[in-house]
Amino acid sequence: MDTLFAEGRNCWRIVNAEAVAFLIDGEAYFRAFQEAARTAEDTILISGWDVDSRMALDGTDDGRPDNRLGPFLDALIRRKPRVHAFLLNWDFSLIFALEREPFPAFKLGWRAHKRLHFHLDGHHPLAGSHHQKVVVVDDRIAFAGGLDLTIQRWDTRAHCAHDGRRTGPTGRPYGPFHDVQIAVSGPAAHALGDLVRSRWHEATGEHIPACAARPSPALWPLSAVPLLHRVPIAISRTQGPYAGRAGVDEIRHLYRDALARAREVVYIENQYLTAAVVGDALCALLQRADPPEIIIILPLNVPGWLQRHTMGARRARLLAQLRAADHKHRLRACYPVVPGLVGDGVKVHSKVLIVDDTFVTVGSANLNNRSMGLDSECNVSIDGLQDPRIATAIDTVRCDLLGEHLGLSEADVRQCRREAGSWTAAIDAQRHAPRHLEPLPDSAPEALSPLADSLIVDPERPVAAPEFMASYVPESARVHLAARLLRNTLILTGFATLGALWHYTPLHIWLDVPRLIASLRTASHYAAAPLALWGAYLIGGLLFFPVTLLIVVTALAFMPPQNLLYAFLGCLSSASLNYALGRVLGGRILHRLAPHAWRELRHRFRRPGLGTMILVSTVPIAPFTIVTAGAGALKVRYRDLIIGTTVGVVPGILAFTLFTGSLASTLDHPAAKHILWLAVIAIVLAALALSLRRWLAEHFTKPESTACARK
């Protein structure tokens, strides 16, 4: 076999990398990211499970603007008028709300430069997430691995028990954190850029053009020393099936194929260990007559009560299976120990697999089921079977990682291994050193929590809504057919009761239109009436109350020109509030509340500009609240919103004021001339509305290719 990789099976693309470096821990990666970003001439692409504008890039949370991700990118873009940054962040579950930056769209969208584009990605199956962690600069330098550009990730390779630089935005310290990223340049970086652009288009409907080819080589970050030059790499993905798109499970096949080829040693670092496909492959290796050594580095504990009783329980179950299969004592499942650290130990977050000296992969995929078939993942791999220089580099990476955990240099690790006779014996020999790898304690399988088998925790495939409900909602709490019938019966009974009250009580007298008009006119004389009306526009806009009815009430309650002014200011105030909330919250809520209207609005704004804003404000393609909040979520310019809303509502305000006044006169004095005049007004207004709608449709809905996000 010439190579392990097969496009379409265990990888998406096989491409050449001009240079490759392995960046161990946050200090190295975040410094390299800053250096690479500063060289940008065209595009910075950032895709992540979590992107936090508050993160301190050098670990020192001292308030310097250029040290925080959000201000750093904003200042960089302002200095470089041709550079655009695109940030794609998972539209996270409420389960993680307390761990994430509040209102990320506000932090990285509302206050940032217009060339800093931010979007929350909710296009994934039920119970799935967007988990790819990729950064690409100008399609020339790219990073992939387990590290997000977010808080509580920065650390040095020393992983000191107490490091004052490891603090979050609130000043609260966090523990040691270990992770690995891979950096590549050349065609490999371009391919990773294609991956992010594809995901961006799926999530937003917008196309990000590829960067123009440049004759000059990429400016490699000076702090990241390349370990390899001019080697082929493979990019592998996981992607759950969604909205008619087939699923992708290349990483599942990659792990299975790589482990099947193991002969001497398997080295694993990962946050989790629950994937059935990986567990089966490791058990098969351990059951061989001459099994390879298997070294698995995991965190001591799985954080959080829920994860301990789910992912932690599943990990204990799989480890028990591996230990039962380890008839030659070749397995070492360990966690890193550093001096002076009490509690959970170093948080291992890396996703690394090294097989012999022939294979290495670094990426976002955890060794859990969801990373094998549900979440969106990206791994970058290198095969060294036929190339001695690659084999040497792979051995260097393994020794470098082990050396960090054992407190040894790369050369000392090799020497210790030679003296001990095996990798596992070398680990055992360092057990009494200040930094060492301690065996994970056993957990009794019979003590495992029943929560471990619930579908949402670690599904290998998308979870259907009925299965989701059956797994998490008690039988007694589910809405059955009888309950739905009862609810509908109560609604119908309510309508019938209202009808009876209207017919058999004085309700129809109290609520007759002339009486209502008189009441409104009386209320309008109070000093607080304009303020109350303004509040009604703001609250009504948030509650999807029809703005047309508010305009009618305004026209009936107040006399010209106050009713014209109040209706106009009320509409603009409501539009502004909805717009601000749309910018802060994004389109996730609108997608859930009114999916069809939201899709239509996004389709219209594929051709952005003032004309489109006027069109959607005038032609009733969606309710007023959806249009104005959607404009904020889609980052329409505020000026366009105000002008478009003005053009959209002023004719209606004039028309409804005139129409409502005539209607009131007709109801008060139903003479023939009043009825005729009312009919003429209605016909003229209808004709003007149809003419305006036709003209707008002709001028602003012509077929055109999708607008680039940077226009």
Side-chain angles (χ1 to χ4, degrees), residues 254-305:
L254 179 75
Y255 273 93
R256 181 183 289 158
D257 296 344
L259 289 171
R261 204 174 68 175
R263 295 294 178 267
E264 297 179 1
V265 58
V266 172
Y267 180 85
I268 292 172
E269 289 187 1
N270 213 275
Q271 181 182 4
Y272 298 113
L273 184 65
T274 63
V277 63
V278 175
D280 292 344
L282 293 175
C283 280
L285 291 179
L286 290 169
Q287 289 168 349
R288 288 180 183 173
D290 185 18
E293 297 180 86
I294 297 178
I295 302 165
I296 306 175
I297 314 297
L298 300 167
L300 171 60
N301 295 315
V302 179
W305 178 90

Side-chain angles (χ1 to χ4, degrees), residues 196-212:
V196 178
R197 280 186 287 271
S198 173
R199 186 69 194 181
W200 180 274
H201 176 256
E202 182 174 345
T204 68
E206 301 169 350
H207 288 287
I208 304 174
C211 299

Side-chain angles (χ1 to χ4, degrees), residues 378-438:
C378 172
N379 272 41
V380 175
S381 309
I382 303 175
D383 184 9
L385 184 63
Q386 300 295 324
D387 192 332
R389 66 191 179 101
I390 296 178
T392 300
I394 291 174
D395 178 64
T396 298
V397 174
R398 180 176 50 236
C399 290
D400 199 5
L401 288 168
L402 266 175
E404 175 177 312
H405 299 312
L406 298 176
L408 301 174
S409 68
E410 177 191 323
D412 289 340
V413 170
R414 288 195 180 90
Q415 178 65 25
C416 186
R417 193 259 178 197
R418 283 194 295 268
E419 293 175 355
S422 68
W423 295 102
T424 53
I427 291 173
D428 294 341
Q430 296 295 313
R431 284 280 302 278
H432 301 292
R435 293 190 68 174
H436 64 275
L437 289 168
E438 185 74 14

Side-chain angles (χ1 to χ4, degrees), residues 538-622:
L538 295 179
I539 297 173
L542 295 176
L543 299 178
F544 288 80
F545 191 83
V547 71
T548 302
L549 292 181
L550 291 172
I551 295 172
V552 170
V553 171
T554 306
L556 289 172
F558 297 89
M559 299 298 293
Q562 287 95 338
N563 54 8
L564 297 173
L565 178 63
Y566 292 161
F568 176 67
L569 293 179
C571 288
L572 288 190
S573 298
S574 178
S576 299
L577 178 60
N578 294 338
Y579 176 84
L581 290 175
R583 289 297 294 261
V584 171
L585 301 176
R588 180 184 184 187
I589 294 178
L590 297 178
H591 174 72
R592 293 178 179 176
L593 292 176
H596 297 294
W598 173 239
R599 282 196 294 269
E600 176 66 18
L601 196 64
R602 287 181 59 189
H603 174 73
R604 295 283 184 178
F605 275 107
R606 294 174 77 179
R607 184 184 179 187
L610 177 59
T612 303
M613 190 66 233
I614 293 174
L615 174 66
V616 299
S617 299
T618 307
V619 180
I621 64 171

Side-chain angles (χ1 to χ4, degrees), residues 63-191:
R64 286 182 290 118
D66 61 340
N67 185 40
R68 293 183 181 269
L69 176 64
F72 168 77
L73 290 174
D74 186 56
L76 187 149
I77 287 172
R78 293 180 188 277
R79 291 196 308 268
K80 298 190 172 190
R82 294 184 57 225
V83 174
H84 288 249
F86 297 86
L87 285 72
L88 188 65
N89 190 17
W90 175 40
D91 194 355
F92 53 89
S93 164
L94 287 176
I95 294 174
F96 298 97
L98 296 179
E99 301 177 19
R100 308 292 287 268
E101 178 178 25
F103 305 121
F106 172 78
K107 299 289 187 180
L108 287 166
W110 174 267
R111 301 187 301 181
H113 195 278
K114 64 181 181 180
R115 284 184 279 110
L116 199 160
H117 312 273
F118 180 82
H119 188 80
L120 289 171
D121 183 358
H123 284 64
H124 45 73
L126 179 64
S129 71
H130 173 62
H131 200 244
Q132 294 170 346
K133 307 158 191 298
V134 181
V135 172
V136 185
V137 178
D138 287 346
D139 284 351
R140 300 197 293 173
I141 300 175
F143 306 92
L147 279 162
D148 279 306
L149 295 174
T150 189
I151 60 174
Q152 299 188 8
R153 300 293 190 269
W154 184 93
D155 200 3
T156 68
R157 299 196 64 177
H159 298 309
C160 296
H162 306 287
D163 189 330
R165 294 170 294 179
R166 283 199 314 263
T167 57
T170 62
R172 184 177 180 179
Y174 60 92
F177 191 93
H178 172 71
D179 213 328
V180 179
Q181 210 82 349
I182 189 171
V184 296
S185 66
H190 196 291

Side-chain angles (χ1 to χ4, degrees), residues 548 551 564 646-660 685:
T548 302
I551 295 172
L564 297 173
T646 300
V647 174
V649 303
V650 164
I653 291 172
L654 292 172
F656 277 112
T657 303
L658 181 61
F659 182 84
T660 306
L685 291 177

